[in-house]
Amino acid sequence: MIISPWGEIVAQLGEEEGPNIAYADIDLGLVEKVRREVPLLRRTYERALRDQPSHPMLQTNASKYTAYALILAGNVLVLSSMWALGITGTYLGDYFGILMDHRVTSFPFNITDAPMYYGSTISFLGTAVLYGKPAGLLLTAQVLTVYLIALSYEDPFTAKIYAKREIDRKLSKKRARNEL
C-alpha cells in the first residue's frame, strides 16, 4: 500500500499470493507543498531547541568540540550502516520480504547491532551540546528511549524472518534432493 502525506491511499496491492509491486507517480509539486505545509519534515529538532534556554556549561569551547565530535561520530555510524546495507537493507527491505543474503557483520555492525539508531541518537546529543541546550539533552534521552522500544520489537521480528528463511532454504534443498 502506498499512502500520500495527507493519508490518502494512492496504490494498493491485490490479494494475489507471491511477490507484488505497487506503483505510484511522484508529483514534485505535491512534494514541495508538503514540505511547506508540514513543518515536521524540516529541522524539527533544531526548531524545538531554538527557543529553549542555554546553559553556560554547555557553551564552552570544550563543549563545542565535543559536540562536533559527537555529530561526526553519529553521522559516520548512520552513513556507514547505510553503505553496508545498501538501499534495500536500509529502507526496510526485510519487512517486505527482501532479505540480505547474509547478516552484515562488518563496520559499523561490528560495533553495535543498531548503528543507525545509536548513530542518530549520538547526532541528536551532539546537536543539543552544540546549541548548549539542556532541553536537547532531555529530548535526546526521549529519542533513545523510543529507539530502544523499537529495537525490542524490531530485533525479534528480524531474527524471526531470517530464521524462517533458513528453514525454507533447508526444506527446499531437502525437496530438491528427494526429487533427484
Side-chain angles (χ1 to χ4, degrees):
M1 180 179 299
I2 300 173
I3 301 174
S4 78
W6 309 118
E8 301 159 341
I9 297 174
V10 177
Q12 191 169 345
L13 295 176
E15 299 294 322
E16 306 88 35
E17 295 225 3
N20 293 300
I21 297 176
Y23 296 94
D25 292 327
I26 297 175
D27 180 350
L28 296 179
L30 177 62
V31 171
E32 269 312 306
K33 183 177 180 183
V34 169
R35 286 184 179 156
R36 279 192 313 274
E37 295 179 15
V38 182
L40 295 175
L41 300 177
R42 294 168 82 192
R43 299 172 39 201
T44 304
Y45 185 71
E46 183 270 331
R47 285 183 180 182
L49 296 183
R50 185 182 307 149
D51 296 327
Q52 298 301 315
S54 299
H55 193 280
M57 286 181 60
L58 294 173
Q59 295 180 313
T60 65
N61 281 337
S63 293
K64 182 167 55 170
Y65 297 130
T66 300
Y68 287 129
L70 288 167
I71 292 168
L72 177 65
N75 280 291
V76 165
L77 286 174
V78 170
L79 294 173
S80 61
S81 61
M82 289 175 72
W83 179 264
L85 292 172
I87 297 277
T88 304
T90 299
Y91 296 105
L92 303 173
D94 53 351
Y95 285 85
F96 298 106
I98 306 168
L99 305 180
M100 307 280 293
D101 288 335
H102 304 285
R103 183 175 176 178
V104 178
T105 57
S106 61
F107 183 80
F109 293 91
N110 60 350
I111 293 174
T112 175
D113 284 343
M116 285 190 178
Y117 287 136
Y118 294 120
S120 63
T121 301
I122 292 168
S123 293
F124 281 123
L125 178 60
T127 303
V129 173
L130 182 64
Y131 286 112
K133 308 291 186 170
L137 302 177
L138 295 174
L139 285 173
T140 300
Q142 288 181 329
V143 166
L144 178 61
T145 301
V146 169
Y147 284 163
L148 292 173
I149 291 168
L151 283 170
S152 73
Y153 291 96
E154 186 175 312
D155 287 345
F157 173 77
T158 303
K160 180 181 172 183
I161 59 176
Y162 276 91
K164 181 184 179 310
R165 181 184 69 177
E166 287 307 309
I167 291 169
D168 291 345
R169 281 182 174 175
K170 288 178 183 176
L171 288 173
S172 292
K173 286 180 184 178
K174 187 175 181 180
R175 281 188 210 121
R177 278 193 309 257
N178 287 343
E179 290 175 4
L180 295 175

